[in-house]
Amino acid sequence: DTGVSQDPRHKITKRGQNVTFRCDPISEHNRLYWYRQTLGQGPEFLTYFQNEAQLEKSRLLSDRFSAERPKGSFSTLEIQRTEQGDSAMYLCASSPGQGWGAFFGQGTRLTVV
Amino acid sequence: AQSVTQPDIHITVSEGASLELRCNYSYGATPYLFWYVQSPGQGLQLLLKYFSGDTLVQGIKGFEAEFKRSQSSFNLRKPSVHWSDAAEYFCAVGAGGSQGNLIFGKGTKLSVKP
């Protein structure tokens, strides 16, 4: 399968714990995005990488959130000191360039208890 | 600021009937426009996209959409709906610039009656 891969698919964590999600984009795509989706809403943009450079971060991305894309390949999204409001589906997408649209992974569903 | 409005939260159609899902956008320049479909528990699948040129674009699964600049709309259509089309549909606009991130609407949930 050559699509966008996310791991884990589901994560349940206790409030205050740290969690890390991984995304493997389509190999020839230099653009990588993280989105968050809550029930009844469309995906909301969190952050964007072009190769290894993080070029944009949404105001939704508080200081507890950090994302990396070492070597411009896979990416990780870490949430520190999780809160119940962080419960959501975290979607990763990749794209070969502007205007192509984004190709999404199946997401990581986070539940903070 | 860019925005996308999908006026219908939930639509129910009979199998075999035609479908139109509405999308209005706000964007200062010529937008990149997209429709995605999301089945329960799944990621988003790109149905079709508009960049420029012909304002009627064809997508996968028999869907099409028409860009109307004068109405700031990009409605999704299908002539005959199948039960497997039941899902949530999202319209999105490309935010432009160097980023290319997408601004999504809140989605329209489609139910299909037998």
Side-chain angles (χ1 to χ4, degrees):
Chain A
D1 182 58
T2 57
V4 177
S5 176
Q6 292 189 245
D7 183 69
R9 292 288 309 279
H10 303 273
K11 179 71 176 179
I12 299 175
T13 191
K14 292 184 178 179
R15 190 173 51 188
Q17 297 294 304
N18 298 345
V19 294
T20 300
F21 309 142
R22 177 180 170 121
C23 171
D24 287 275
I26 296 172
S27 59
E28 60 268 25
H29 290 184
N30 62 358
R31 296 176 178 224
L32 186 146
Y33 307 87
W34 285 98
Y35 288 81
R36 181 171 67 189
Q37 185 178 23
T38 53
L39 200 61
Q41 301 294 318
E44 296 173 298
F45 169 75
L46 292 178
T47 190
Y48 157 67
F49 290 85
Q50 186 160 330
N51 299 312
E52 67 276 8
Q54 188 174 20
L55 297 186
E56 189 181 4
K57 290 194 290 186
S58 163
R59 281 174 237 157
L60 291 175
L61 212 65
S62 77
D63 292 344
R64 296 184 297 105
F65 288 69
S66 62
E68 294 182 341
R69 193 184 181 195
K71 302 179 183 178
S73 55
F74 71 92
S75 175
T76 58
L77 177 69
E78 182 183 16
I79 309 174
Q80 295 182 326
R81 305 180 304 281
T82 51
E83 302 173 355
Q84 286 191 318
D86 297 330
S87 296
M89 176 78 86
Y90 290 84
L91 295 165
C92 177
S94 68
S95 174
Q98 183 182 359
W100 282 86
F103 296 83
F104 283 82
Q106 292 190 299
T108 294
R109 180 167 295 284
L110 173 66
T111 303
V112 181
V113 297
Chain B
Q2 301 93 345
S3 66
V4 175
T5 301
Q6 294 181 246
D8 304 305
I9 296 172
H10 190 187
I11 284 182
T12 301
V13 300
S14 298
E15 191 168 15
S18 63
L19 170 69
E20 182 168 26
L21 301 182
R22 296 184 291 164
C23 172
N24 293 97
Y25 67 89
S26 171
Y27 188 68
T30 300
Y32 297 141
L33 293 163
F34 307 87
W35 275 100
Y36 284 85
V37 60
Q38 187 176 36
S39 298
Q42 301 296 312
L44 291 96
Q45 182 181 22
L46 180 64
L47 284 176
L48 47 77
K49 54 185 183 257
Y50 170 78
F51 302 153
S52 64
D54 193 346
T55 56
L56 185 64
V57 293
Q58 303 296 320
I60 63 172
K61 304 185 179 188
F63 286 93
E64 67 179 26
E66 186 171 12
F67 170 59
K68 293 186 177 180
R69 183 188 303 276
S70 61
Q71 297 176 19
S72 297
S73 69
F74 188 58
N75 294 348
L76 182 71
R77 300 194 295 246
K78 186 170 185 178
S80 177
V81 168
H82 188 263
W83 64 267
S84 61
D85 294 323
E88 188 138 25
Y89 292 80
F90 293 93
C91 181
V93 61
S98 62
Q99 295 83 2
N101 52 291
L102 302 176
I103 308 296
F104 284 86
K106 292 188 176 184
T108 298
K109 183 177 180 180
L110 173 66
S111 297
V112 180
K113 290 189 300 186

PDB file of all heavy atoms in Angstrom, chain A residues 92-105:
ATOM      1  N   CYS A  92      -3.260  13.022   9.129  1.00  0.00           N
ATOM      2  CA  CYS A  92      -2.064  13.430   8.413  1.00  0.00           C
ATOM      3  C   CYS A  92      -2.370  13.356   6.920  1.00  0.00           C
ATOM      4  O   CYS A  92      -3.129  12.487   6.463  1.00  0.00           O
ATOM      5  CB  CYS A  92      -0.906  12.509   8.759  1.00  0.00           C
ATOM      6  SG  CYS A  92       0.622  12.858   7.873  1.00  0.00           S
ATOM      7  N   ALA A  93      -1.812  14.279   6.169  1.00  0.00           N
ATOM      8  CA  ALA A  93      -2.009  14.282   4.722  1.00  0.00           C
ATOM      9  C   ALA A  93      -0.712  14.679   4.050  1.00  0.00           C
ATOM     10  O   ALA A  93       0.118  15.383   4.630  1.00  0.00           O
ATOM     11  CB  ALA A  93      -3.122  15.257   4.336  1.00  0.00           C
ATOM     12  N   SER A  94      -0.537  14.233   2.831  1.00  0.00           N
ATOM     13  CA  SER A  94       0.631  14.655   2.064  1.00  0.00           C
ATOM     14  C   SER A  94       0.202  15.080   0.670  1.00  0.00           C
ATOM     15  O   SER A  94      -0.900  14.739   0.210  1.00  0.00           O
ATOM     16  CB  SER A  94       1.684  13.549   2.005  1.00  0.00           C
ATOM     17  OG  SER A  94       1.248  12.445   1.228  1.00  0.00           O
ATOM     18  N   SER A  95       1.066  15.835   0.030  1.00  0.00           N
ATOM     19  CA  SER A  95       0.745  16.383  -1.279  1.00  0.00           C
ATOM     20  C   SER A  95       2.027  16.596  -2.072  1.00  0.00           C
ATOM     21  O   SER A  95       3.058  16.945  -1.504  1.00  0.00           O
ATOM     22  CB  SER A  95       0.011  17.720  -1.108  1.00  0.00           C
ATOM     23  OG  SER A  95      -0.192  18.358  -2.347  1.00  0.00           O
ATOM     24  N   PRO A  96       1.945  16.428  -3.390  1.00  0.00           N
ATOM     25  CA  PRO A  96       3.131  16.693  -4.210  1.00  0.00           C
ATOM     26  C   PRO A  96       3.325  18.162  -4.520  1.00  0.00           C
ATOM     27  O   PRO A  96       4.379  18.564  -5.020  1.00  0.00           O
ATOM     28  CB  PRO A  96       2.845  15.903  -5.488  1.00  0.00           C
ATOM     29  CG  PRO A  96       1.358  15.848  -5.573  1.00  0.00           C
ATOM     30  CD  PRO A  96       0.845  15.826  -4.167  1.00  0.00           C
ATOM     31  N   GLY A  97       2.316  18.995  -4.244  1.00  0.00           N
ATOM     32  CA  GLY A  97       2.463  20.405  -4.524  1.00  0.00           C
ATOM     33  C   GLY A  97       1.152  21.129  -4.409  1.00  0.00           C
ATOM     34  O   GLY A  97       0.088  20.527  -4.305  1.00  0.00           O
ATOM     35  N   GLN A  98       1.235  22.458  -4.435  1.00  0.00           N
ATOM     36  CA  GLN A  98       0.042  23.272  -4.279  1.00  0.00           C
ATOM     37  C   GLN A  98      -0.938  22.982  -5.405  1.00  0.00           C
ATOM     38  O   GLN A  98      -0.561  22.864  -6.552  1.00  0.00           O
ATOM     39  CB  GLN A  98       0.422  24.751  -4.300  1.00  0.00           C
ATOM     40  CG  GLN A  98      -0.751  25.679  -4.065  1.00  0.00           C
ATOM     41  CD  GLN A  98      -0.329  27.126  -4.136  1.00  0.00           C
ATOM     42  OE1 GLN A  98       0.839  27.406  -4.342  1.00  0.00           O
ATOM     43  NE2 GLN A  98      -1.267  28.020  -3.981  1.00  0.00           N
ATOM     44  N   GLY A  99      -2.207  22.896  -5.035  1.00  0.00           N
ATOM     45  CA  GLY A  99      -3.240  22.708  -6.027  1.00  0.00           C
ATOM     46  C   GLY A  99      -3.565  21.258  -6.316  1.00  0.00           C
ATOM     47  O   GLY A  99      -4.551  20.966  -6.977  1.00  0.00           O
ATOM     48  N   TRP A 100      -2.734  20.337  -5.817  1.00  0.00           N
ATOM     49  CA  TRP A 100      -3.008  18.923  -6.048  1.00  0.00           C
ATOM     50  C   TRP A 100      -4.024  18.372  -5.066  1.00  0.00           C
ATOM     51  O   TRP A 100      -4.508  17.269  -5.223  1.00  0.00           O
ATOM     52  CB  TRP A 100      -1.721  18.115  -5.935  1.00  0.00           C
ATOM     53  CG  TRP A 100      -0.879  18.245  -7.157  1.00  0.00           C
ATOM     54  CD1 TRP A 100       0.035  19.216  -7.420  1.00  0.00           C
ATOM     55  CD2 TRP A 100      -0.881  17.387  -8.299  1.00  0.00           C
ATOM     56  NE1 TRP A 100       0.608  19.022  -8.654  1.00  0.00           N
ATOM     57  CE2 TRP A 100       0.060  17.900  -9.210  1.00  0.00           C
ATOM     58  CE3 TRP A 100      -1.601  16.231  -8.619  1.00  0.00           C
ATOM     59  CZ2 TRP A 100       0.310  17.300 -10.436  1.00  0.00           C
ATOM     60  CZ3 TRP A 100      -1.354  15.628  -9.841  1.00  0.00           C
ATOM     61  CH2 TRP A 100      -0.404  16.162 -10.732  1.00  0.00           C
ATOM     62  N   GLY A 101      -4.327  19.152  -4.039  1.00  0.00           N
ATOM     63  CA  GLY A 101      -5.130  18.581  -2.981  1.00  0.00           C
ATOM     64  C   GLY A 101      -4.238  17.764  -2.082  1.00  0.00           C
ATOM     65  O   GLY A 101      -3.030  17.649  -2.301  1.00  0.00           O
ATOM     66  N   ALA A 102      -4.804  17.223  -1.065  1.00  0.00           N
ATOM     67  CA  ALA A 102      -4.045  16.461  -0.101  1.00  0.00           C
ATOM     68  C   ALA A 102      -4.597  15.044  -0.026  1.00  0.00           C
ATOM     69  O   ALA A 102      -5.794  14.823  -0.168  1.00  0.00           O
ATOM     70  CB  ALA A 102      -4.122  17.127   1.271  1.00  0.00           C
ATOM     71  N   PHE A 103      -3.686  14.118   0.186  1.00  0.00           N
ATOM     72  CA  PHE A 103      -4.048  12.710   0.297  1.00  0.00           C
ATOM     73  C   PHE A 103      -3.930  12.327   1.773  1.00  0.00           C
ATOM     74  O   PHE A 103      -2.855  12.450   2.364  1.00  0.00           O
ATOM     75  CB  PHE A 103      -3.129  11.869  -0.582  1.00  0.00           C
ATOM     76  CG  PHE A 103      -3.287  12.192  -2.044  1.00  0.00           C
ATOM     77  CD1 PHE A 103      -2.613  13.268  -2.606  1.00  0.00           C
ATOM     78  CD2 PHE A 103      -4.125  11.449  -2.836  1.00  0.00           C
ATOM     79  CE1 PHE A 103      -2.774  13.602  -3.940  1.00  0.00           C
ATOM     80  CE2 PHE A 103      -4.295  11.764  -4.191  1.00  0.00           C
ATOM     81  CZ  PHE A 103      -3.623  12.838  -4.737  1.00  0.00           C
ATOM     82  N   PHE A 104      -5.036  11.883   2.330  1.00  0.00           N
ATOM     83  CA  PHE A 104      -5.122  11.693   3.767  1.00  0.00           C
ATOM     84  C   PHE A 104      -4.874  10.258   4.188  1.00  0.00           C
ATOM     85  O   PHE A 104      -5.240   9.308   3.481  1.00  0.00           O
ATOM     86  CB  PHE A 104      -6.512  12.109   4.266  1.00  0.00           C
ATOM     87  CG  PHE A 104      -6.693  13.587   4.359  1.00  0.00           C
ATOM     88  CD1 PHE A 104      -7.012  14.337   3.247  1.00  0.00           C
ATOM     89  CD2 PHE A 104      -6.532  14.243   5.577  1.00  0.00           C
ATOM     90  CE1 PHE A 104      -7.170  15.712   3.327  1.00  0.00           C
ATOM     91  CE2 PHE A 104      -6.695  15.616   5.660  1.00  0.00           C
ATOM     92  CZ  PHE A 104      -7.009  16.344   4.536  1.00  0.00           C
ATOM     93  N   GLY A 105      -4.293  10.121   5.384  1.00  0.00           N
ATOM     94  CA  GLY A 105      -4.253   8.841   6.047  1.00  0.00           C
ATOM     95  C   GLY A 105      -5.565   8.569   6.758  1.00  0.00           C
ATOM     96  O   GLY A 105      -6.487   9.406   6.727  1.00  0.00           O
TER      97      GLY A 105
END
